[in-house]
């Protein structure tokens, strides 16, 4: 390690301040991740105030670096502030351990791959090593933080209430969940007071990590998305709620399940969060969805030089160099997924693009086939566009729009404009006959710049030969020489048998038919949108320097204070706009194409839109009705068959086959992923391995588990009356004891008492003896003297000599619940080797007497109770295995 130079220290002068338990856990976990750890265990005692321990299996700390491991501004992550432009680690300041040492007692145990044994270092408040000793831990680093805020009573007083402590524990769990999502190969464990709160096993991919972290009930409603942009380089990955899914299953009332990562770092970004909430809630008409937070995992990857992480001490807020480009890329992905939201705060140019162009397709697995089809369609468009190549001789024509290289933000209309102009220009340049026309047209184009009015009217691109504006693509109808086909066409055009089309009859902002016939229709505006359209100019005159967000807020405030009469006017306008839109879309679907209408060049009037090709398209793409085929007669002949003869043959095969295999043999796993088919002699049965595992865990806990006990402020006195008689007191005194201490007191060391959470002290006086309970387990609710009497009853009457025979009912129920909880933490799909091991343990520990789980349900269920013989069972087992 090397000390940072003074100029870098001044640049990173935001001193690390430890204000909570989450800060300590976050710094230690990030150090473990920077060390290449794949297993991280976080253990807390008293919500982290008494003890915080973070253990990993990383590279460890070298012995030469140990003296300065907690000295401020000593780090192995960077050497100067220039290294921040290539930062790939979570930490970089070298202040985390030093800040923790200032408010707590810290001990570091570490071992590298080259070391023989691990060394435990004790540090003082300045980070200096005060003592060291060998330890038994394996490779990796373990940091133990005890007595947090011991010298800051005000901060420790902040966690005096149980509510604050539980909130802090929940924040620690949410922090670990974030790292579990960003690193699927990481195994995490969170323990509080020796009880497992949350854990996550290693996962193969991001989706498996999502299932292990958020649960299998949420993931089916999420859609994986990917977007890539080159200039500037921005990569967006993640899982987003599927459009149209019930908001109660894909959102929550708090933002704890909205995960935002920038360069694999969990951050809080208000602008990105606002975009996610706006576009997600816009698809639901009810107002309740606007106050909820979507369940989203979004990973934004940009260049390290474009991110400033050194903003806050906890590094949860960052500054982006290309923030507008990142927000535009995120919004493009959201628009392609949920559609355009008219009420969003966008610049006028972006709003125009959203209104006139369809949303770009998502680059998901399901959309790759659509992209291939669109490529073929674009080739056809270019082929038709080459016939009008005479009008595109100028390569200087520039349509001012923002260029984007993202793989998911290109639309069919943009491709038609850009590729069509490029193709026409290239074809003209290759044709020597038209080179003269190209020069003349280029000169005219330079003189007359294309205006927005000509472009909107459709007169911007003109055919140099005919002088007419370029027309949209015409769908050519194949020749129909037979009269029968012409009759069918007439019948199909008849209004009585008109084919309904859901695309043209359903109101939408922009449909596929609009793009094919080059007729874009504005969607009807809402009353709020009409009011905003009228009021935005007034707000801009009042506040010329106001931002878009301020303008939207001001418009919203004016709408809230608008009177009822004015509101009804805007509602009436919106209703008329909707009626006009419905009439227009219906008329376009019913209008007949007029191919004989001459096309004239009218510069002073608005160009008429091309007619609809609806009926022609229905004729071309309608599915032909299949004629029913006549049944084909198949040759058949009778075969003699007798059920008694078949049964006799099966019995003969059964007698000839060898004896049934003994023991349990796995066949295969069923589709439910929790049940296995096994072969037991001549019977096929279903095995539930989780029930077996619960029973084995419960048996092991009954025999070996020792309940942790805590000291009692007021010891409980034991008398003949409280224990139920003098014979129980005598039974207690006959149990195993330790050697007397200096005060003459003797502690009972009998495992039947200690394993059940009781520590009893015997003090012998001159005339009488005193018995008192000094420690008792607090993990079992309402454990008391009655349970101790239950233990003594088992010893006195039933002569119980083992711990399992002396378990009280409350302790038994507690251990049963623990066995169920541990069994539920197993993965849903168990590999074959684990199931075989469970069966071997069952045969060794349980035998053949008890095959019932702790809930009274059997391990095995007969799949085929009546079989004709071993040969049939073997055949059925082979079929199930296949």
């Amino acid at each position: 390690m090397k000390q940072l130079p003074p100029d870098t220290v001044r640049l990173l002068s935001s001193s690390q301040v430890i204000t909570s338990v989450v800060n300590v856990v976050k710094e230690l976990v990030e150090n473990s991740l920077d060390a290449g750890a794949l297993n991280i265990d976080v253990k807390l005692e008293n919500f982290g105030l008494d003890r915080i321990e973070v253990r990993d299996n990383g590279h460890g700390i070298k012995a030469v670096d140990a003296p300065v491991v907690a000295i401020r501004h000593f780090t192995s992550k960077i050497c100067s502030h220039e290294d921040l432009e290539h930062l790939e680690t979570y930490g970089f300041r070298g202040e985390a351990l030093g800040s923790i040492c200032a408010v707590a007692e810290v001990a570091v145990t570490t071992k590298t791959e080259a070391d023989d044994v691990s060394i435990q270092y004790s540090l003082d408040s300045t980070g200096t090593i005060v003592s060291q000793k060998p330890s038994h831990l394996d490779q990796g680093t373990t940091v133990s933080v005890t007595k947090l805020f011991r010298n800051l009573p005000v901060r420790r007083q902040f966690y005096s209430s149980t509510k604050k402590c539980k909130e802090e524990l929940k924040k620690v769990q949410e922090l670990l969940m974030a790292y579990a999502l960003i690193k699927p190969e990481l195994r995490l464990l969170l323990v509080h007071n020796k009880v497992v709160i949350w854990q996550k096993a290693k996962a193969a991919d991001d989706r498996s990590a999502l299932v292990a972290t958020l649960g299998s009930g949420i993931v089916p409603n999420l859609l994986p998305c990917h977007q890539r942009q080159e200039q500037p380089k921005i990569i967006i990955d993640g899982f987003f709620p599927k459009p149209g899914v019930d908001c109660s299953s894909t959102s929550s009332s708090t933002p704890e399940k909205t995960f935002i990562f920038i360069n694999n770092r969990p951050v809080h970004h208000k602008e990105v969060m606002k975009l996610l909430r706006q576009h997600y809630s816009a698809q639901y008409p009810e107002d309740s969805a606007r106050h909820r937070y979507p369940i989203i995992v979004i990973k934004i990857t940009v260049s390290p030089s474009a991110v400033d992480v050194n903003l806050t001490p906890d590094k949860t807020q960052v500054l982006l160099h290309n923030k507008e480009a990142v927000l535009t890329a995120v919004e493009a992905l959201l628009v392609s997924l949920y559609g355009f939201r008219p009420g969003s705060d966008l610049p006028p140019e972006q709003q125009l693009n959203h209104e006139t162009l369809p949303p770009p397709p998502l680059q998901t697995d399901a959309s790759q086939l659509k992209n291939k089809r669109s490529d073929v369609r674009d080739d056809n468009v270019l082929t038709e566009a080459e016939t009008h190549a005479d009008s595109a001789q100028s390569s200087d024509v520039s349509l001012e729009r923002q260029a984007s290289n993202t793989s998911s933000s290109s639309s069919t209309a943009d491709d038609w404009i850009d590729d069509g102009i490029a193709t026409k220009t290239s074809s003209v340049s290759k044709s020597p006959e038209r080179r003269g026309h190209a020069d003349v047209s280029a000169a005219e184009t330079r003189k007359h710049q294309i205006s927005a009015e000509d472009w909107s009217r459709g007169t911007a691109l003109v055919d140099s030969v005919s002088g007419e504006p370029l027309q949209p693509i015409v769908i050519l109808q194949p020749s129909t020489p037979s009269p029968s086909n012409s009759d069918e066409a007439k019948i199909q055009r008849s209004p009585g048998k008109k084919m309904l089309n859901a695309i043209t009859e359903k109101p939408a902002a922009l449909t596929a038919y609009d793009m094919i016939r080059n007729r874009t229709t504005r969607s009807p505006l809402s009353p709020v949108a009409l009011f905003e359209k009228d009021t935005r100019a007034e707000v801009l005159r009042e506040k010329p320097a106001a931002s878009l967000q301020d303008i939207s807020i001001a418009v919203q405030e004016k709408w809230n204070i608008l009177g009822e009469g004015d509101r009804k006017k805007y509602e009436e306008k919106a209703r008329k706009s909707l009626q006009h839109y419905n009439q227009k879309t219906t008329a376009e679907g019913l209008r007949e194409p007029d191919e004989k209408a001459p096309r004239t060049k009218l510069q002073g009037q608005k160009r008429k839109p091309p007619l609809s090709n609806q009926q022609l398209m229905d004729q071309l793409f309608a599915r032909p009705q299949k004629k029913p085929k006549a049944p084909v007669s198949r040759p058949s002949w009778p075969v003699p068959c007798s059920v008694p003869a078949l049964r006799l043959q099966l019995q003969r095969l059964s007698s000839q086959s060898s004896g049934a295999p003994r023991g349990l043999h796995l066949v295969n796993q069923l589709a439910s992923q929790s049940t296995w088919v096994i072969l037991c002699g001549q019977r096929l049965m279903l095995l539930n391995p989780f029930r077996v595992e619960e029973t084995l865990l419960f048996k092991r806990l009954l025999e070996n588990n020792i309940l942790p006990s805590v000291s009692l402020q007021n010891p409980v006195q034991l008398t003949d009356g409280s224990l139920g008689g003098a014979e129980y007191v005598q039974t207690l005194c006959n149990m195993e004891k330790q050697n007397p201490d200096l005060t003459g007191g003797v502690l009972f060391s009998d495992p039947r008492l200690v394993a059940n959470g009781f520590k009893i002290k015997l003090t012998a006086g001159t005339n009488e003896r005193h018995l008192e309970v000094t420690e008792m387990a607090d993990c079992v609710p309402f454990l008391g003297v009655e349970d101790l009497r239950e233990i003594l009853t088992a010893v006195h009457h039933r002569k119980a000599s083992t711990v399992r025979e002396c378990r009280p009912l409350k302790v038994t129920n507690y251990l049963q619940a623990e066995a169920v909880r541990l069994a539920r933490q197993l993965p849903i799909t168990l590999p074959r080797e684990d199931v075989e091991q469970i069966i071997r343990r069952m045969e060794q520990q349980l035998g053949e007497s008890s095959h019932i789980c702790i809930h009274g349900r059997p391990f095995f269920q007969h799949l085929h109770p009546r079989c004709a013989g071993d040969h049939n069972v073997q055949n059925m087992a082979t079929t199930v295995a296949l």
Side-chain angles (χ1 to χ4, degrees), residues 756-772:
N756 290 311
F758 290 98
K759 285 192 177 181
I760 303 175
K761 184 177 182 181
L762 172 63
T763 305
T766 56
N767 298 327
E768 58 182 5
R769 54 192 176 186
H770 298 278
L771 291 170
E772 59 183 10

Side-chain angles (χ1 to χ4, degrees), residues 371 516 596 836:
N371 293 336
I516 292 175
K596 298 181 180 180
E836 291 177 350

Side-chain angles (χ1 to χ4, degrees), residues 4 12 150 303 508 523 678 726 817 826:
L4 294 176
L12 305 176
R150 69 185 190 282
S303 175
S523 61
I678 64 171
L826 295 174

Side-chain angles (χ1 to χ4, degrees), residues 41-53:
D41 297 343
V42 180
K43 299 180 180 180
L44 307 178
E45 293 183 7
N46 190 19
F47 302 97
L49 298 177
D50 293 347
R51 183 180 183 86
I52 301 174
E53 180 180 295

